[in-house]
Amino acid sequence: MTNKGQILRLLNYKNLLKHLQSLGFKKVFSDNISDTLEISSSLVRKDFGNFGITGNRKGGYDIDSILHKIDEILGKDEIQKVIIVGVGRIGEALMNYQGFIKEGIQIVAGFDSEPDKFRAESGVPILHIDKLTDFVRENNIRICILAVPQMVAKYTVDLLAASGMGGILNFTPIKFQSTQDLTINNINIVHELENLIYVVNKQKENQKQ
Amino acid sequence: MTNKGQILRLLNYKNLLKHLQSLGFKKVFSDNISDTLEISSSLVRKDFGNFGITGNRKGGYDIDSILHKIDEILGKDEIQKVIIVGVGRIGEALMNYQGFIKEGIQIVAGFDSEPDKFRAESGVPILHIDKLTDFVRENNIRICILAVPQMVAKYTVDLLAASGMGGILNFTPIKFQSTQDLTINNINIVHELENLIYVVNKQKENQKQ
DNA sequence: TTATTTATGTGAAAATTGTATCATAATTTT
DNA sequence: AAAATTATGATACAATTTTCACATAAATAA
């Protein structure tokens, strides 16, 4: 019933609706949403329908109740605890990223193998990777961000799998496959950039003609 | 002819083939590739066919020549100059990321509005955002990474569009639409994490039953 | 040399994803 | 109160993407 991009679209709806809400709007029509997000209004209605979001014929949708429903779908009733494995530049940047907490995501610890990264006293603790498995089990962590060097990526994924982790957002350039128990979503920044470069170069070529 | 995910798949093929090459392999079959990437072998062959990569019936594909051809498709004959706009934590992390250069991508400058970020002498220069337009035109920059704070994202995209930029890899949480002249690809890290959380929670629910 | 094997290349089929259409119900206008 | 309007919700349709199936060519074996 739910298809691949549907949750990401739902998150886009949420962003837009929160914006509209902050401007004082109470109601919204499917084509208000579809216009700004450049999709069809029927897709918006279909997404809403699939998630049990209903409107009134002629009256549109009530923004407050859509937002409430979306948070319900996303399970926003409880704070999601997330750890970061690999506190290099990218890991550190994400560790200090301010955008998570207002979406109910809390970075509760970082893990690294370099002792000079460790931090116990102030802020979010950064611990030795050896303590990962115990920490994950004791704190019932299901989600992690992986930002270790490529060299140790495979080893670390195996470690995480063994710890009972449920999901990994993988920023290393190694592409990992999900298993029954462990969902791994890969973000390859270099590939994203190369893909963009390809599109732009292609566009440039076509303009020449 | 080329579809949405095809270039990203091609980049995955490239990674895998380089790995196989480093292990001493000379030839590869479509189902070697499809097995590790968990797609069908016919999709591999179709992708290759679409890009003019041919093999020998029964003999498979020659790794060297596929890799050569992929680099040709991606336009890897010349170094791609990229700038980073917004040298906060994420911008800085990407600025120092070591994975770009071996793919022919060179970060040639960073831009920020905070004077304490500026750096002219050592390493990649970090300049004031006011110098962006001139720099882009003088150095014929077509691609940038956007990592400014959300507050100034819209303003910065407008500035980049006016400068003649061709492509933006956008790491801000604001979703921008591409235009005829400017391709904008959005990476929303919070959304990616929320999406993963949804999938893992859902999985957990289904296991309970 | 002929038969057999086997991986490519391709066209048809299936699956997935997104759009168009329109009857219907709620609202507004007359 | 009846008529007209209009946005939803459902379904049919279209487009895209991926897989299946198999004829064909190249390589090996007999």
Side-chain angles (χ1 to χ4, degrees):
Chain A
M1 188 208 76
T2 51
N3 74 19
K4 226 190 87 190
Q6 216 163 20
I7 293 294
L8 292 173
R9 272 204 304 278
L10 209 64
L11 291 164
N12 287 327
Y13 300 157
K14 180 179 172 181
N15 281 7
L16 172 59
L17 291 170
K18 279 171 86 172
H19 181 64
L20 292 176
Q21 192 182 48
S22 76
L23 295 175
F25 288 96
K26 298 290 175 198
K27 302 225 151 208
V28 70
F29 302 122
S30 58
D31 58 340
N32 299 145
I33 298 172
S34 66
D35 284 350
T36 44
L37 298 182
E38 296 195 330
I39 53 177
S40 73
S41 63
S42 43
L43 182 55
V44 175
R45 294 196 296 276
K46 186 166 276 187
D47 283 338
F48 283 0
N50 284 339
F51 287 115
I53 295 168
T54 56
N56 291 326
R57 300 204 183 209
K58 179 130 188 189
Y61 299 88
D62 179 68
I63 292 177
D64 286 354
S65 61
I66 306 178
L67 284 172
H68 187 267
K69 188 83 189 179
I70 290 178
D71 279 349
E72 200 175 292
I73 293 160
L74 297 173
K76 290 292 183 185
D77 47 318
E78 52 183 311
I79 298 273
Q80 270 292 339
K81 291 174 290 182
V82 172
I83 61 169
I84 294 182
V85 183
V87 191
R89 291 183 204 271
I90 289 178
E92 203 191 332
L94 295 174
M95 195 140 196
N96 293 287
Y97 187 61
Q98 297 306 305
F100 290 131
I101 196 67
K102 68 168 174 288
E103 298 305 331
I105 295 165
Q106 189 184 3
I107 308 296
V108 293
F111 292 88
D112 207 293
S113 59
E114 290 295 315
D116 58 312
K117 299 272 174 56
F118 299 163
R119 184 177 71 186
E121 305 305 316
S122 68
V124 177
I126 301 175
L127 310 172
H128 192 278
I129 189 81
D130 289 348
K131 295 183 177 159
L132 187 139
T133 301
D134 285 347
F135 187 96
V136 167
R137 287 179 184 165
E138 281 162 22
N139 295 278
N140 195 31
I141 306 294
R142 293 214 301 273
I143 308 285
C144 88
I145 293 173
L146 182 66
V148 298
Q150 173 163 2
M151 286 290 294
V152 294
K154 175 80 174 71
Y155 164 83
T156 312
V157 167
D158 291 344
L159 182 73
L160 288 165
S163 80
M165 189 63 59
I168 300 175
L169 191 60
N170 169 35
F171 282 89
T172 80
I174 313 278
K175 186 176 188 183
F176 293 101
Q177 307 295 335
S178 297
T179 66
Q180 186 79 34
D181 301 320
L182 176 58
T183 304
I184 306 184
N185 288 358
N186 305 288
I187 298 182
N188 189 319
I189 294 171
V190 176
H191 283 190
E192 294 295 335
L193 196 53
E194 289 184 277
N195 184 40
L196 178 64
I197 289 168
Y198 176 85
V199 172
V200 172
N201 284 345
K202 190 114 186 172
Q203 204 167 307
K204 202 93 180 181
E205 277 171 38
N206 292 342
Q207 283 171 5
K208 281 180 189 162
Q209 293 169 357
Chain B
M1 188 208 75
T2 51
N3 75 18
K4 226 189 89 193
Q6 215 164 21
I7 293 294
L8 292 173
R9 272 203 305 278
L10 209 63
L11 291 164
N12 287 327
Y13 300 157
K14 180 180 171 179
N15 282 6
L16 172 59
L17 292 171
K18 281 171 84 172
H19 180 64
L20 292 176
Q21 192 183 49
S22 76
L23 295 176
F25 289 96
K26 297 292 176 194
K27 302 226 151 205
V28 71
F29 303 122
S30 59
D31 58 339
N32 299 146
I33 298 173
S34 67
D35 283 349
T36 44
L37 298 182
E38 296 196 331
I39 52 178
S40 73
S41 62
S42 45
L43 182 56
V44 175
R45 294 196 297 275
K46 191 156 274 187
D47 283 339
F48 283 179
N50 285 337
F51 287 116
I53 295 168
T54 56
N56 290 326
R57 299 204 184 209
K58 177 129 190 190
Y61 299 88
D62 179 69
I63 292 177
D64 286 355
S65 61
I66 305 178
L67 284 171
H68 187 266
K69 189 82 189 181
I70 290 178
D71 279 348
E72 200 175 293
I73 292 160
L74 298 172
K76 291 292 184 185
D77 47 318
E78 50 183 312
I79 298 274
Q80 270 292 339
K81 291 174 291 183
V82 172
I83 61 169
I84 293 181
V85 183
V87 190
R89 289 182 205 272
I90 289 178
E92 203 191 331
L94 295 174
M95 196 141 193
N96 292 287
Y97 187 62
Q98 297 304 306
F100 290 132
I101 196 65
K102 70 168 172 284
E103 297 305 331
I105 295 166
Q106 189 184 3
I107 308 297
V108 293
F111 292 89
D112 206 294
S113 59
E114 291 295 317
D116 58 311
K117 298 275 175 56
F118 300 162
R119 183 176 70 185
E121 305 307 314
S122 68
V124 177
I126 301 174
L127 310 172
H128 192 279
I129 189 82
D130 289 347
K131 295 184 178 160
L132 186 140
T133 301
D134 285 346
F135 187 96
V136 167
R137 288 180 184 162
E138 280 163 22
N139 296 277
N140 194 32
I141 306 295
R142 294 212 301 272
I143 308 285
C144 88
I145 292 172
L146 182 66
V148 298
Q150 174 164 3
M151 287 289 294
V152 294
K154 176 82 172 71
Y155 164 83
T156 312
V157 167
D158 291 344
L159 182 73
L160 287 165
S163 79
M165 188 62 60
I168 299 175
L169 191 60
N170 170 35
F171 282 89
T172 80
I174 314 276
K175 187 177 186 182
F176 293 100
Q177 307 294 335
S178 298
T179 64
Q180 185 77 36
D181 302 320
L182 176 58
T183 303
I184 306 184
N185 288 357
N186 304 289
I187 297 181
N188 189 318
I189 293 171
V190 177
H191 282 191
E192 294 294 334
L193 196 53
E194 290 184 276
N195 184 41
L196 177 64
I197 290 167
Y198 176 84
V199 172
V200 172
N201 284 346
K202 190 112 186 175
Q203 204 169 305
K204 201 95 180 179
E205 277 171 38
N206 291 342
Q207 283 172 5
K208 280 179 194 164
Q209 292 168 0

